[in-house]
Amino acid sequence: RTLAGFVLVPFAFWNKTAFLAERVLGNVLSSGIKVLVLAVIVGCLGLFGLSAYTATQRTREIGIRKAMGSTEGGIFMLLSAEYIKLVLLSVALAIPVVWFAMRSWIENFPYRTDISWTVFVVAGSLVLTVAVLAVSYQTSKAARTNPVDSLRYE
């Protein structure tokens, strides 16, 4: 029997085991999302600490560049460029691995869909945005410092 194109399944099919399996799957997915959020936060803290360390190590260089007339935007791009390059490299390395893993996982299902390239563009843009936001505070703080203060103690 069908109704509006859908196959009607007898109620006896939906037993307690099916509902328990659905509940377990929901718990697993919920736990996975929590672990994912925690991993992103730890990664952002790592980038934040690395950018703070780099800004501290390059204090003298930043002071000299500012004394020679460099703009805050130029210093911001100088410090952020290396992180942007690393993120783009990691995205470029991850895309083929993820594409292969997704493709081989999808092959196990009877109804398949193609993996669009826009998924990778959106994911890469999101990763780049999060990385730039994590680094931007330290780099803008270093770019706004007075060059006299950074060169006085050297």
Side-chain angles (χ1 to χ4, degrees), residues 32-93:
I33 290 173
K34 290 175 186 173
V35 169
L36 176 70
V37 168
L38 183 65
V40 169
I41 290 172
V42 168
C44 287
L45 285 174
L47 272 175
F48 185 78
L50 188 62
S51 65
Y53 177 73
T54 302
T56 303
Q57 292 295 322
R58 296 175 78 174
T59 302
R60 184 174 181 189
E61 176 191 353
I62 293 167
I64 291 171
R65 286 181 182 272
K66 286 200 65 141
M68 298 300 286
S70 182
T71 62
E72 289 181 13
I75 292 174
F76 180 81
M77 285 307 298
L78 175 76
L79 294 175
S80 298
E82 60 188 78
Y83 297 108
I84 291 172
K85 288 177 189 174
L86 287 174
V87 168
L88 290 176
L89 176 67
S90 66
V91 167
L93 291 175

Side-chain angles (χ1 to χ4, degrees), residues 117-127:
W117 59 272
T118 56
V119 172
F120 299 109
V121 171
V122 169
S125 300
L126 186 64
V127 166

Side-chain angles (χ1 to χ4, degrees), residues 16-39:
K16 190 174 183 178
T17 307
F19 287 119
L20 289 177
E22 193 76 24
R23 179 185 248 172
V24 168
L25 180 63
N27 289 340
V28 168
L29 290 177
S30 175
S31 299
I33 290 173
K34 290 175 186 173
V35 169
L36 176 70
V37 168
L38 183 65

